[in-house]
Amino acid sequence: MFFEHSESFTESFSSFQRYPSISDRDAWNSLDETWKQETIALGEQYLNFSYLPLSATDFMEFNRTGNRTNYEKKCFEKRHALNALVLAECVENQGRFMDNIMNGIFSICEESAWQLPAHNTYVRDTPQHILPDSTTPVLDLFACETGSILATVFFLLKEKLDTVSPFICKRIMHELNHRIFTSYLNAHFWWMGNGKEPMNNWTIWCTQNVLLSVFLSDTDNNLREKVLKKACQSIDYFLAEYGDDGCCDEGANYYRHAGLCLFNSIDILNAVTSGFFESMYEEIKIKNIASYILHAHIEDEYYVNFADCSPVAGRAGVREFLFATYTNNTEMMIFAATDYLKGSRDALLLPNENNLYYRLQNGFTASKIREYAQVYQNTTITHSDYYYPSVGLFIARDDHLYLAVKAGDNDDSHNHNDTGSIIVYKDGKPLLIDIGVESYTKKTFSPQRYEIWTMQSDYHNLPTLNGFMQQNGPDYKATNVNYKFHPDICEISMDIAAAYPKECGITSYIRKAVLQKDTQITITDQYTSDENATVTLHFMTYEKPTPIVDSDYLTIQIGQLGSLTLSHVMLDGIEEFPISDARLMQTWKHPIYRINVTLTSNTVIASIK
């Protein structure tokens, strides 16, 4: 699609100037006043920031202990500081941030490597090298992003940096040529694609940042043409992984690194070719990729989450708004704009965002999105019931209840063994939950991944069959999936027995989930087995469950939010899991719980109100 289109482009490239450099004072002075004031205030916090070196032992810690957060925190803080200082200087234009901007440029240029230790390998799924080879740079997510940061600094401040010394921008270009451009054109990293390997968010995230690095810096037409065509090939490989429905199997978190990076990639291609790629926004698949985030939204800060996605995936904002604008999706524009206004100072400034270009987009779109949100702030968005066949994601809702069911298989990107799992929210609050994922470590993306509890089916809203949990891989999947949507009732059914090893002895396990609108959700499980079987059901909750047992039913009150009533079960117990992991604590502010019940019949009915 993109590569074939690029082959017919024969004109010279236009300058990439979606946003102005510091020298265009009228443009910078006209920006949103709140954004300008807060941007200067944030820059002032970093006036005396010390750019700590990243030592060899810092890099080696991941290989030695599996901890990746210590290095990443130190690495990212430097980039956050430089970003804040650059934008503050662009707003104020008085020179008081320049010294520490130059310190940041040189500190980053002097790093031995821009890739993370967890990505320090040249071949996919091979062990990481304990130290980087500076003569042969690795292009990972954050090497490419660092390139885009320095290129954005180059574009914004070149004129001002050159008044101090021409060697500053010369140094930036030297590092970009060595670490980004040469590696990109002369080496093959898996995320670039070859038509055989599976792609994920890496493909488009890296591609976007390479495009930014090339077109925001001082490069010639020959290099730009080669990079553009290779980038178009990678975009095609990325799109080939998506169904026509546009579902992001990595979830809402990764939509921001997948769908939104696709948007920026198209936008860059359009900007440098005077709109030659404009027709791509009319492609149904790209429209569907854009709108995924609207369908995945539950209410307020919550999103439907499976795999490594968190239910609190960040506010929508400028990039969602722009993607919706270019794909003519009015409801998504309203959603993005109004959600942006609900955000805190973080949504305005993106202070923890590595990508300087995203922050620049925020500044130059803030007034427009604020005005749009104020016009439509009382508009009700109609969320449709939806099914994504490419992933098997079923979504149904009414005014109080939200039901999501994951069919599909256990071979998603960032996969958890969660085929058939359900998520329920009531009045916008989590009732039955998907936990998400803990902070990444060396184990997270290793053969030991499924030893981690959050990846296992026993810690999703799923059964254990004769002591067996689900297994990972494309063969472990839901079969006989059927769904239907009606105004008053939405339902999905599937057989999830194939998601478990054959040794479990269960020949079929039919799960049916029904939302009777404005009434209740009903989950019916029925299994068949050649021998006597022991089936234990698990339900994960955020609010504390309190059991009420009578002769025929088990009712469990879930906090003050709702209730779960089950037939033909025996309560095994309720477990409490304190939350101490930093990543999980961003969503779960107190312990979570697991309800365990054993079936006393081959059929169980659970009603949720």
Side-chain angles (χ1 to χ4, degrees):
M1 185 194 307
F2 278 83
F3 180 71
E4 183 178 357
H5 198 62
S6 72
E7 289 281 77
S8 60
F9 179 73
T10 58
E11 305 297 322
S12 298
F13 291 110
S14 305
S15 297
F16 181 45
Q17 293 187 342
R18 277 286 188 244
Y19 307 107
S21 70
I22 193 172
S23 60
D24 187 347
R25 297 317 304 159
D26 288 343
W28 283 93
N29 291 336
S30 67
L31 291 179
D32 180 86
E33 286 298 326
T34 301
W35 185 85
K36 288 193 295 184
Q37 292 169 11
E38 294 289 351
T39 294
I40 291 172
L42 182 62
E44 288 173 337
Q45 294 178 25
Y46 290 102
L47 268 172
N48 298 309
F49 181 80
S50 178
Y51 294 90
L52 298 177
L54 294 167
S55 68
T57 50
D58 287 337
F59 201 96
M60 294 165 73
E61 183 181 9
F62 170 76
N63 194 281
R64 287 173 166 177
T65 70
N67 181 293
R68 57 184 286 174
T69 57
N70 291 339
Y71 183 93
E72 290 174 15
K73 182 175 185 294
K74 201 171 178 181
C75 174
F76 295 164
E77 280 181 346
K78 295 168 69 172
R79 286 139 178 86
H80 299 163
L82 178 61
N83 290 344
L85 291 162
V86 167
L87 291 177
E89 182 60 36
C90 286
V91 171
E92 190 180 83
N93 195 35
Q94 293 179 5
R96 66 183 178 126
F97 300 99
M98 288 300 294
D99 280 358
N100 224 16
I101 288 171
M102 290 183 287
N103 287 340
I105 292 169
F106 272 73
S107 177
I108 291 171
C109 286
E110 288 163 3
E111 291 175 356
S112 294
W114 288 348
Q115 73 270 20
L116 298 183
H119 303 157
N120 188 36
T121 182
Y122 297 93
V123 180
R124 188 177 195 172
D125 297 330
T126 58
Q128 297 84 4
H129 299 287
I130 191 168
L131 284 169
D133 179 355
S134 297
T135 68
T136 310
V138 169
L139 284 184
D140 79 328
L141 299 172
F142 297 98
C144 295
E145 194 148 62
T146 297
S148 78
I149 294 170
L150 290 179
T152 308
V153 175
F154 181 100
F155 169 78
L156 291 172
L157 296 180
K158 183 180 187 304
E159 182 179 319
K160 202 157 189 174
L161 291 168
D162 283 350
T163 63
V164 178
S165 170
F167 301 148
I168 303 170
C169 288
K170 187 175 181 180
R171 177 67 185 276
I172 290 175
M173 288 308 307
H174 170 78
E175 299 300 336
L176 290 178
N177 275 301
H178 172 60
R179 300 186 194 232
I180 306 295
F181 307 154
T182 300
S183 292
Y184 183 73
L185 292 178
N186 297 305
H188 177 79
F189 294 93
W190 68 265
W191 56 262
M192 295 174 175
N194 58 14
K196 300 175 183 177
E197 295 179 275
M199 302 289 95
N200 62 13
N201 67 83
W202 276 57
T203 301
I204 199 67
W205 190 356
C206 291
T207 298
Q208 167 206 260
N209 284 310
V210 171
L211 287 169
L212 287 171
S213 300
V214 169
F215 286 100
L216 284 173
S217 63
D218 186 14
T219 52
D220 60 38
N221 203 66
N222 182 52
L223 174 66
R224 292 181 171 208
E225 182 177 358
K226 290 178 180 177
V227 168
L228 183 138
K229 289 186 175 180
K230 185 167 184 176
C232 285
Q233 282 186 315
S234 291
I235 294 172
D236 285 345
Y237 292 136
F238 169 77
L239 288 172
E241 294 293 305
Y242 273 75
D244 288 339
D245 58 22
C247 187
C248 181
D249 71 347
E250 299 171 291
N253 282 110
Y254 287 94
Y255 168 87
R256 270 74 194 233
H257 304 308
L260 295 186
C261 289
L262 172 65
F263 160 68
N264 266 338
S265 296
I266 301 172
D267 192 51
I268 297 163
L269 295 176
N270 269 319
V272 301
T273 61
S274 301
F276 189 75
F277 288 83
E278 196 74 35
S279 62
M280 295 302 172
Y281 289 121
E282 298 304 317
E283 296 287 337
I284 294 300
K285 181 182 283 191
I286 289 173
K287 285 178 175 287
N288 287 341
I289 289 172
S291 63
Y292 165 81
I293 198 68
L294 178 61
H295 293 300
H297 184 243
I298 299 174
E299 191 170 324
D300 193 30
E301 64 180 351
Y302 291 113
Y303 287 85
V304 58
N305 69 302
F306 292 101
D308 276 356
C309 183
S310 166
V312 178
R315 294 285 180 188
V318 164
R319 290 188 295 153
E320 290 89 345
F321 179 78
L322 292 172
F323 203 1
T325 301
Y326 283 106
T327 53
N328 296 309
N329 188 330
T330 302
E331 288 213 324
M332 184 173 160
M333 290 173 67
I334 296 169
F335 160 66
T338 53
D339 205 46
Y340 173 82
L341 280 196
K342 293 176 185 176
S344 62
R345 181 172 181 253
D346 284 5
L348 182 70
L349 299 181
L350 304 178
N352 299 314
E353 174 55 62
N354 286 343
N355 197 302
L356 177 54
Y357 188 76
Y358 298 169
R359 297 194 190 197
L360 190 62
Q361 282 181 309
N362 253 33
F364 279 88
T365 315
S367 291
K368 181 178 180 180
I369 198 171
R370 194 186 301 277
E371 291 167 5
Y372 194 91
Q374 288 170 349
V375 171
Y376 291 99
Q377 61 184 333
N378 295 319
T379 302
T380 301
I381 299 171
T382 303
H383 286 284
S384 303
D385 301 319
Y386 216 80
Y387 184 69
Y388 282 105
S390 68
V391 175
L393 177 58
F394 172 94
I395 296 169
R397 63 181 96 203
D398 60 24
D399 290 339
H400 296 284
L401 290 169
Y402 178 99
L403 169 67
V405 185
K406 196 262 188 184
D409 59 36
N410 287 335
D411 193 42
D412 296 321
S413 182
H414 292 263
N415 180 70
H416 289 197
N417 289 338
D418 57 5
T419 295
S421 190
I422 60 175
I423 296 171
V424 176
Y425 279 64
K426 183 177 180 182
D427 295 326
K429 303 296 182 184
L431 188 67
L432 297 182
I433 64 171
D434 185 293
I435 305 166
V437 68
E438 293 178 314
S439 300
Y440 288 164
T441 66
K442 188 175 183 179
K443 194 174 186 178
T444 309
F445 299 104
S446 76
Q448 290 75 46
R449 176 178 176 86
Y450 295 97
E451 295 175 6
I452 301 171
W453 68 291
T454 58
M455 315 294 185
Q456 298 172 352
S457 59
D458 273 6
Y459 296 92
H460 291 78
N461 299 308
L462 285 166
T464 303
L465 305 182
N466 279 325
F468 287 89
M469 295 188 291
Q470 291 187 7
Q471 293 190 1
N472 61 293
D475 294 334
Y476 296 94
K477 60 188 177 182
T479 58
N480 299 321
V481 180
N482 294 285
Y483 66 94
K484 58 184 178 182
F485 296 112
H486 293 298
D488 299 325
I489 190 168
C490 302
E491 62 181 65
I492 184 170
S493 64
M494 71 196 81
D495 188 343
I496 62 172
Y500 294 79
K502 291 180 180 179
E503 293 84 354
C504 75
I506 303 295
T507 54
S508 73
Y509 193 103
I510 308 299
R511 166 160 283 188
K512 183 178 181 180
V514 179
L515 170 62
Q516 296 169 273
K517 296 208 172 183
D518 302 315
T519 305
Q520 66 180 11
I521 291 169
T522 304
I523 311 296
T524 304
D525 285 6
Q526 186 174 40
Y527 71 88
T528 57
S529 175
D530 294 335
E531 301 177 359
N532 291 334
T534 300
V535 174
T536 302
L537 270 177
H538 309 288
F539 296 97
M540 306 298 300
T541 73
Y542 185 37
E543 302 303 331
K544 187 173 183 178
T546 303
I548 304 166
V549 183
D550 63 28
S551 57
D552 298 312
Y553 298 97
L554 167 66
T555 297
I556 299 175
Q557 183 67 32
I558 301 173
Q560 301 300 311
L561 189 58
S563 63
L564 169 68
T565 300
L566 301 112
S567 66
H568 305 108
V569 299
M570 177 178 63
L571 179 65
D572 293 331
I574 294 172
E575 300 170 273
E576 179 178 303
F577 297 91
I579 301 299
S580 57
D581 175 77
R583 185 164 182 164
L584 290 180
M585 287 172 66
Q586 293 175 14
T587 298
W588 312 120
K589 309 302 182 185
H590 59 68
I592 59 175
Y593 302 87
R594 182 170 71 159
I595 304 164
N596 304 306
V597 297
T598 295
L599 274 61
T600 58
S601 167
N602 70 337
T603 302
V604 60
I605 299 174
S607 61
I608 302 164
K609 296 181 180 180

